[in-house]
Amino acid sequence: MLDTTRLTHLKQLEAESIHILREVVAEFDNPVMMYSVGKDSAVMLHLALKAFFPAKLPFPLLHVDTKWKFKEMIEFRDKRAKEEGFELLVHSNPEGVEKNINPFVHGSAVHTDIMKTEGLKQALNKYKFDAVFGGARRDEEKSRAKERIYSFRDKNHRWDPKNQRPELWNLYNARTHKGESIRVFPLSNWTELDIWQYIYLEHIPIVPLYFAKKRPVVQKDGVKIMVDDERMPIEEGEVIKEEMVRFRTLGCYPLTGAVESSAQTLPEIIQEMLLTKTSERQGRVIDSDSAGSMEKKKMEGYF
Amino acid sequence: MSIIETKIATDIESYLREHENKQLLRFITCGSVDDGKSTLIGRLLHDSKMIFEDQLAAIKKDSKKSVDGEFDLSLLVDGLQSEREQGITIDVAYRYFTTDKRKFIIADTPGHEEYTRNMATGASTADLAIILIDARHGIGTQTKRHSFIAKLLEIKHVVVAINKMDLVGFSQEVYEEISRDYLAFAKELGLSKDIRLIPLSALKGDNVVDRSLKSPWYKGDTLLHVLENIEIANDRDLVNFRLPVQYVNRANLDFRGFCGTISSGIIEVGDSITVLPSNKSSKVKEIVTYDGSLEYAYAQQAITLILEDEIDISRGDVLVKSDELPDSGDTFDVNIVWMSEEPLKKQKEYFIKRASILSVGTIESFYYKTDVNTLERQSASTLNLNEIAHAKLELQSSIAYDSYSKNKAMGSFIIIDRITNNTVGAGMIVQKSQDALKPNKASEFPEFEVELNALIRKHFPHWQSREIF
């Protein structure tokens, strides 16, 4: 039996994530899972289904809809909610909707701040969640490398990198005062490769946008933006081209660059990822605003 | 194109199959700012091809901002903007890289004096510690401190990286002198038996991934070779089954599953188990997972158990095999690392979280505190930030426990302030308090009867005999 008592690295990561998910449900009154509909969310959801099997999820999923997500993401989200029978909460910042906040007009910084960061804070205040699962990984970006698995947020949802709670072993401190909350990152120790490999091995459904297909794109500031609906402005000199592209990361379509690719299967995606040495967030317009921009956004309450 | 890249390009499916079976190794790197720790990590990431082009472009851009103008690998790892500007690492940061053989998680911990707590944090989950020594300076105060904390947190494997060998001309004498000094010191400390000393240069890459031609006298392995091949599976205890119950899953009226992560041992369907502290017994009916029921499960797996009998079990209880019972107690001799600006006060009530149980406890007395720089023992009345003490902990309720050196999950705890809710300390159970045992010496029962009672409780737990002293 001794030979078969070893976990592979993915099984060990899986067990650790399940441990975190259960710990939160046992210790908090009102947890929620952020559901961004991307591949990391897909893995987090899958792990949650495992953690509480055979029961249904003991918490709702929350999607902060900026109104600029890819259409296919919204279809996929609703389909998964129906299949797995989880409670899905969708929130959009009503003020932003009213003012018609538009990344093409107002820029990525304003759009992200109002529709994403503000929208998230509104939803958290509205439902009074005391624990919020997020799918962030430490390998994504430098400021995340020091993030705790249980990341404490004050009443204003702010993160203070200089004043984080020490975190030892797998003992997590769930104590908070009223109004404070904990952001919990069960995928902290997973890398992009781990995520893809796990999706492949476990046959986890993901949004088809991750696979290459002929899609209409326009080159804007050196980034290929897909024409997902009629709101997309086509400037003079810009041409809509049908190109074989896919997305390495999903978000708001005007802020998410497509990459040229022919990868139509998971092994092909992994192959492409391993051979193209460009890290995954590069396609996101939001990170390149300024040095340390993610750190600033996190301190303001962005995930 | 490297061999690996060719394999990825030509046969991705077989590459993925190989990578499915990799093991995970967690290690921590300890050293001061000047020992070249960030450079070493940058080197491992760089030479194992884990650096992406855009990251490399970003550090090349940033390198221009620094004084020496040289391409600076350490910039890859110095995370937050504020500390990059200060030029120091101030908190534990986690890094990831992978090779054909293993996935690695590095806890990168700062070497500054005031940051003992960060090293203890990184060490708590580490299988292995890399302790950096600057070859020009030999063993310093920080080396001793790092080794002491590695010992305190019971890290099983230690690699001493004697760095900057290029600056001492790859001198064999320097390497041997430092090795001798270190091994003597480690013996005195009682540090792990598995200690390896590697002469290297993080800056130039010698003996990090590839063998150096400049140190032909060194017959040992390169750093990466050690990380990839060191045996860690045997570090686990597969004998004494312990399952701290995390959560009770009541999926429907007929389903009551006890969820948790097995901290040690193996459990099989049909095994007799005992619930602690209630001492009630039952048998394992089913081991439930999403991927189907299991015949047996082992340490590190997160499972759900269903029992034959309906007995009352809740979060905080520990399930053990009926023939492998741990001891119970409420007063322990413990080691404590204090992590808060506000000192630890005797007799003050704190929350103590051990595995899935949250109880209330006080530090009754300090035996001594250890100065991490001189390793001298001193008397103590309070404990300040980054101080380490041996003390007596008293809990308000009795718990089943194992010593930390036997079982990390059953013997470790964090200390939480009841007012601020901050994590203010971390502790490790050494043993049931010897003080607490003394009053019981004046036992009302004859010695034979006490021994018989212990024997019966151990082998016939289902008799549910009361413990006598």
Side-chain angles (χ1 to χ4, degrees):
Chain A
M1 197 187 280
L2 274 174
D3 290 341
T4 45
T5 56
R6 276 182 203 198
L7 292 178
T8 65
H9 73 293
L10 286 175
K11 283 289 166 192
Q12 199 170 329
L13 290 172
E14 176 190 86
E16 288 172 8
S17 299
I18 289 174
H19 179 87
I20 295 162
L21 286 153
R22 287 170 170 171
E23 200 62 12
V24 168
V25 169
E27 288 206 303
F28 289 88
D29 294 327
N30 192 17
V32 69
M33 179 173 280
M34 294 291 298
Y35 186 57
S36 75
V37 205
K39 65 183 195 309
D40 301 298
S41 277
V43 168
M44 186 164 61
L45 170 61
H46 186 73
L47 291 165
L49 294 169
K50 287 196 169 193
F52 302 102
F53 176 84
K56 292 227 181 286
L57 290 191
F59 45 75
L61 268 63
L62 171 67
H63 183 227
V64 177
D65 188 352
T66 61
K67 298 291 184 187
W68 289 90
K69 300 291 174 191
F70 290 93
K71 280 197 299 279
E72 280 179 76
M73 289 172 73
I74 303 299
E75 285 162 19
F76 181 86
R77 175 194 77 189
D78 295 341
K79 187 174 124 236
R80 289 296 286 150
K82 210 183 259 172
E83 284 166 358
E84 301 297 344
F86 57 77
E87 186 190 346
L88 175 69
L89 307 170
V90 178
H91 180 84
S92 301
N93 182 350
E95 229 177 298
V97 172
E98 198 186 309
K99 291 200 176 122
N100 209 359
I101 294 297
N102 179 330
F104 292 115
V105 178
H106 302 95
S108 77
V110 171
H111 169 76
T112 305
D113 182 46
I114 295 181
M115 297 311 289
K116 203 161 176 175
T117 310
E118 271 313 305
L120 172 62
K121 285 191 208 171
Q122 285 170 354
L124 299 183
N125 290 338
K126 179 176 166 191
Y127 296 101
K128 301 199 176 353
F129 296 117
D130 52 3
V132 185
F133 291 112
R137 293 176 281 111
R138 286 179 179 145
D139 82 322
E140 273 179 84
E141 201 270 341
K142 269 198 257 184
S143 79
R144 292 208 203 269
K146 304 194 171 194
E147 179 77 277
R148 302 294 190 262
I149 288 173
Y150 273 39
S151 180
F152 177 82
R153 302 301 158 102
D154 66 14
K155 282 189 184 121
N156 304 312
H157 309 288
R158 290 177 69 94
W159 179 62
D160 180 0
K162 298 255 182 204
N163 195 20
Q164 301 196 75
R165 290 177 176 177
E167 202 164 76
L168 294 96
W169 300 288
N170 60 356
L171 291 171
Y172 304 108
N173 179 354
R175 308 284 311 174
T176 51
H177 288 121
K178 204 171 175 269
E180 297 167 346
S181 61
I182 305 277
R183 304 273 170 99
V184 182
F185 303 109
L187 304 179
S188 287
N189 288 325
W190 295 61
T191 61
E192 188 185 10
L193 177 59
D194 297 331
I195 293 285
W196 281 118
Q197 206 163 10
Y198 191 70
I199 289 171
Y200 175 55
L201 289 172
E202 298 274 321
H203 310 289
I204 300 171
I206 52 169
V207 184
L209 291 163
Y210 285 113
F211 299 100
K213 197 181 136 181
K214 285 243 176 204
R215 295 187 169 97
V217 292
V218 169
Q219 193 87 20
K220 279 185 185 286
D221 301 325
V223 183
K224 282 189 204 318
I225 302 295
M226 175 171 146
V227 186
D228 197 47
D229 59 36
E230 69 294 338
R231 293 178 295 177
M232 168 123 162
I234 308 296
E235 311 291 337
E236 228 183 281
E238 289 177 350
V239 201
I240 303 176
K241 279 194 203 155
E242 288 280 322
E243 289 185 41
M244 197 69 176
V245 292
R246 65 179 206 90
F247 296 87
R248 305 186 64 187
T249 170
L250 294 179
C252 297
Y253 84 78
L255 300 177
T256 310
V259 290
E260 274 175 61
S261 168
S262 59
Q264 288 171 289
T265 64
L266 285 166
E268 282 167 7
I269 286 177
I270 298 171
Q271 182 177 44
E272 186 188 279
M273 187 199 90
L274 291 169
L275 296 177
T276 9
K277 303 224 162 184
T278 313
S279 72
E280 95 187 270
R281 299 191 66 89
Q282 205 194 24
R284 284 200 190 176
V285 183
I286 163 173
D287 278 346
S288 49
D289 287 352
S290 67
S293 68
M294 180 61 86
E295 183 185 349
K296 283 183 201 146
K297 288 196 176 66
K298 278 166 63 68
M299 286 167 74
E300 287 156 11
Y302 176 82
F303 235 84
Chain B
M1 204 181 253
S2 70
I3 299 167
I4 302 165
E5 283 170 319
T6 310
K7 175 138 208 182
I8 293 167
T10 55
D11 192 358
I12 182 72
E13 309 251 350
S14 86
Y15 171 87
L16 287 175
R17 268 194 304 280
E18 280 168 29
H19 276 248
E20 243 181 85
N21 296 315
K22 274 190 295 194
Q23 273 188 311
L24 177 61
L25 180 98
R26 287 179 153 91
F27 66 93
I28 112 173
T29 50
C30 349
S32 73
V33 185
D34 310 319
D35 293 335
K37 181 167 56 74
S38 295
T39 308
L40 178 66
I41 296 172
R43 170 64 60 191
L44 280 169
L45 300 180
H46 181 263
D47 287 10
S48 60
K49 315 272 186 297
M50 284 307 291
I51 310 285
F52 290 113
E53 270 165 15
D54 59 332
Q55 291 173 319
L56 210 56
I59 68 161
K60 278 181 180 157
K61 198 176 104 204
D62 285 2
S63 289
K64 286 180 198 141
K65 292 178 194 162
S66 69
V67 213
D68 50 12
E70 208 182 67
F71 169 67
D72 186 357
L73 279 176
S74 73
L75 285 175
L76 278 169
V77 295
D78 289 340
L80 299 181
Q81 194 181 20
S82 46
E83 73 196 58
R84 269 171 65 187
E85 280 158 11
Q86 289 166 28
I88 52 161
T89 327
I90 52 163
D91 203 335
V92 191
Y94 295 88
R95 324 276 173 203
Y96 303 83
F97 73 102
T98 189
T99 66
D100 292 357
K101 295 210 169 97
R102 276 184 175 158
K103 171 191 164 106
F104 298 97
I105 302 180
I106 314 174
D108 179 11
T109 62
H112 265 254
E113 201 148 332
E114 58 269 50
Y115 296 122
T116 293
R117 69 168 181 177
N118 291 324
M119 185 183 153
T121 301
S124 71
T125 50
D127 302 302
L128 176 149
I130 297 178
I131 296 179
L132 273 110
I133 295 180
D134 185 327
R136 293 170 302 173
H137 308 309
I139 297 174
T141 304
Q142 297 208 12
T143 315
K144 293 187 177 173
R145 180 162 69 221
H146 297 147
S147 307
F148 176 72
I149 299 170
K151 159 68 187 158
L152 192 74
L153 275 293
E154 305 269 356
I155 298 180
K156 299 273 199 289
H157 312 277
V158 174
V159 174
V160 180
I162 303 174
N163 192 22
K164 304 199 182 179
M165 285 301 288
D166 51 320
L167 299 181
V168 296
F170 285 89
S171 153
Q172 184 174 5
E173 286 84 70
V174 169
Y175 168 78
E176 279 173 359
E177 192 188 330
I178 294 175
S179 299
R180 231 178 359 255
D181 290 353
Y182 189 84
L183 290 172
F185 164 71
K187 197 175 171 194
E188 196 184 318
L189 193 63
L191 192 64
S192 159
K193 286 190 180 58
D194 184 19
I195 300 174
R196 292 149 204 244
L197 301 108
I198 305 175
L200 54 84
S201 165
L203 191 67
K204 312 278 181 196
D206 299 273
N207 290 331
V208 177
V209 173
D210 300 313
R211 291 198 74 81
S212 175
L213 297 173
K214 295 170 199 148
S215 57
W217 43 266
Y218 174 68
K219 305 292 177 213
D221 296 317
T222 63
L223 177 61
L224 188 66
H225 189 271
V226 170
L227 295 176
E228 282 187 323
N229 293 288
I230 202 162
E231 183 62 61
I232 49 164
N234 299 334
D235 296 348
R236 297 171 306 162
D237 168 10
L238 288 173
V239 175
N240 301 288
F241 174 73
R242 307 281 186 258
L243 180 77
V245 176
Q246 258 190 303
Y247 177 74
V248 182
N249 187 341
R250 294 186 181 87
N252 57 57
L253 284 175
D254 306 316
F255 188 94
R256 248 163 67 85
F258 305 104
C259 309
T261 304
I262 302 175
S263 63
S264 61
I266 298 173
I267 190 80
E268 272 183 273
V269 173
D271 281 346
S272 295
I273 59 101
T274 297
V275 185
L276 297 172
S278 73
N279 257 317
K280 292 193 174 113
S281 297
S282 183
K283 278 196 163 84
V284 176
K285 186 178 173 188
E286 199 180 340
I287 304 170
V288 177
T289 78
Y290 178 93
D291 304 296
S293 294
L294 305 174
E295 275 307 303
Y296 68 95
Y298 50 89
Q300 297 177 331
Q301 284 187 303
I303 52 155
T304 301
L305 287 186
I306 299 180
L307 303 179
E308 295 277 1
D309 310 281
E310 270 204 28
I311 49 177
D312 192 28
I313 299 173
S314 48
R315 176 176 165 86
D317 290 348
V318 181
L319 305 186
V320 301
K321 270 197 204 169
S322 298
D323 53 1
E324 298 161 358
L325 294 182
D327 198 1
S328 294
D330 58 11
T331 309
F332 302 102
D333 295 339
V334 298
N335 288 321
I336 289 177
V337 181
W338 196 245
M339 303 183 158
S340 165
E341 300 279 353
E342 199 181 315
L344 166 58
K345 292 194 190 77
K346 279 193 283 190
Q347 317 292 340
K348 179 179 164 175
E349 289 187 345
Y350 294 96
F351 284 123
I352 305 289
K353 187 174 183 185
R354 197 290 314 257
S356 55
I357 190 163
L358 187 73
S359 45
V360 173
T362 53
I363 294 300
E364 286 300 300
S365 58
F366 292 105
Y367 298 117
Y368 56 84
K369 62 181 178 188
T370 304
D371 181 322
V372 290
N373 294 323
T374 60
L375 306 187
E376 275 168 16
R377 291 176 179 182
Q378 305 156 346
S379 66
S381 53
T382 59
L383 203 61
N384 296 309
L385 177 64
N386 290 313
E387 287 190 328
I388 295 168
H390 188 51
K392 184 162 91 173
L393 169 74
E394 198 171 304
L395 297 178
Q396 285 184 359
S397 50
S398 176
I399 57 166
Y401 77 98
D402 290 296
S403 68
Y404 180 75
S405 58
K406 247 185 94 181
N407 188 318
K408 285 192 177 177
M410 291 286 286
S412 60
F413 56 89
I414 54 170
I415 306 172
I416 300 169
D417 189 283
R418 294 184 73 184
I419 296 177
T420 65
N421 284 333
N422 281 329
T423 305
V424 289
M428 291 137 280
I429 298 175
V430 177
Q431 59 193 4
K432 199 186 241 182
S433 179
Q434 299 306 299
D435 279 11
L437 294 176
K438 273 174 205 153
N440 297 323
K441 281 291 174 199
S443 177
E444 51 185 304
F445 304 100
E447 201 181 314
F448 169 72
E449 195 177 341
V450 174
E451 279 176 19
L452 179 65
N453 173 266
L455 202 66
I456 287 170
R457 283 174 43 78
K458 184 167 179 207
H459 294 287
F460 305 95
H462 47 284
W463 291 7
Q464 296 184 18
S465 325
R466 185 173 64 88
E467 189 173 10
I468 60 167
F469 295 100

